[in-house]
């Protein structure tokens, strides 16, 4: 749940506002230092977007939240580099699958880990998706090197910048 996230209060507040307003962008870039919780926040954001609960989202109890946690939700996929690079075939598959409607949730969500590792061909393929995004697709690019992404990709995404969590906040939580 968002309440389990430590030290990113402003980011969580912003994401909750996005969800409550219903103004979901087609693409986000979660950037910041390695190992600060970008992927964990992205998964919780995906759960919130597809959560079936009427109360605070994500509930972590509905079938949608449980499927996302187990990696079995048909509308939420994580894409990771094959070897050392994200390849064009992965982006082409994303584009093909993204054209289909969501099966169980409101949105088809793709979390692209280490997005700075895209080959030039993959980046251009992703750019094509960003220029003509399918209606219910949400892309979340996760990167530790924001400037390594093409400027044209960055300009088509909402930026969510993470920073290191202050030591005193970590001490208080632990």
């Amino acid at each position: 749940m968002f309440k389990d996230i430590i030290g990113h209060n402003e980011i969580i507040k912003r994401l909750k506002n996005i969800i409550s307003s219903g103004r979901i962008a087609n693409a986000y870039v979660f950037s910041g230092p390695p190992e600060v919780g970008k992927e964990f926040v992205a998964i919780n954001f995906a759960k919130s977007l597809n959560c079936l609960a009427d109360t605070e989202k994500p509930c972590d109890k509905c079938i949608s939240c449980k499927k996302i946690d187990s990696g079995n939700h048909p509308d939420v996929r994580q894409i990771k580099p094959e070897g050392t690079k994200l390849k064009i075939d992965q982006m082409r598959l994303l584009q093909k699958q993204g054209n289909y409607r969501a099966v169980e949730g409101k949105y088809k969500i793709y979390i692209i880990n280490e997005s700075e590792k895209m080959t030039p061909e993959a980046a251009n393929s992703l750019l094509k998706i960003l220029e003509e995004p399918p209606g219910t697709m949400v892309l979340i690019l996760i990167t530790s090197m924001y400037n390594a992404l093409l400027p044209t990709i960055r300009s088509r995404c909402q930026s969510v910048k993470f920073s290191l969590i202050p030591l005193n906040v970590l001490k208080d939580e632990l």
Side-chain angles (χ1 to χ4, degrees):
M1 280 197 204
F2 278 134
K3 67 180 181 189
D4 295 333
I5 297 169
I6 299 169
H8 299 301
N9 298 337
E10 288 302 312
I11 291 170
I12 300 309
K13 182 178 174 183
R14 180 177 170 199
L15 295 176
K16 284 183 174 183
N17 286 338
I18 288 169
I19 294 163
S20 65
S21 72
R23 300 175 76 173
I24 314 301
N26 291 94
Y28 298 87
V29 175
F30 285 19
S31 63
E35 307 299 324
V36 293
K38 298 181 297 281
E39 184 177 353
F40 185 64
V41 173
I43 291 167
N44 277 279
F45 185 48
K47 288 194 306 190
S48 294
L49 290 172
N50 281 335
C51 184
L52 302 173
D54 293 329
T55 58
E56 187 175 337
K57 297 181 181 196
C59 69
D60 280 337
K61 296 175 185 166
C62 71
I63 190 72
S64 181
C65 287
K66 288 180 181 181
K67 281 185 176 183
I68 292 169
D69 278 337
S70 67
N72 291 322
H73 198 289
D75 299 322
V76 179
R77 295 273 182 249
Q78 286 199 45
I79 299 170
K80 298 183 180 194
E82 290 179 354
T84 59
K85 296 284 184 187
L86 283 161
K87 300 182 176 148
I88 190 167
D89 291 338
Q90 292 174 284
M91 296 304 119
R92 286 182 179 154
L93 181 61
L94 182 153
Q95 186 173 24
K96 182 180 174 185
Q97 291 175 345
N99 285 324
Y100 298 117
R101 281 185 19 166
V103 177
E104 292 181 12
K106 288 183 184 177
Y107 299 94
K108 290 193 72 81
I109 302 165
Y110 295 91
I111 300 170
I112 304 174
N113 291 293
E114 300 178 76
S115 57
E116 73 276 3
K117 293 185 177 181
M118 281 185 274
T119 64
E121 297 83 10
N124 286 324
S125 182
L126 178 65
L127 187 56
K128 200 176 281 188
I129 297 167
L130 291 171
E131 288 172 348
E132 300 173 15
T136 61
M137 177 193 280
V138 176
L139 296 172
I140 303 171
L141 285 68
I142 299 175
T143 183
S144 295
M145 299 184 328
Y146 181 75
N147 290 327
L149 297 174
L150 291 176
T152 48
I153 289 177
R154 295 190 313 245
S155 71
R156 286 167 175 79
C157 300
Q158 295 290 316
S159 180
V160 180
K161 297 189 184 222
F162 288 72
S163 58
L164 292 173
I165 301 168
L167 193 56
N168 62 334
V169 172
L170 284 175
K171 280 182 181 178
D172 291 345
E173 288 295 326
L174 295 175

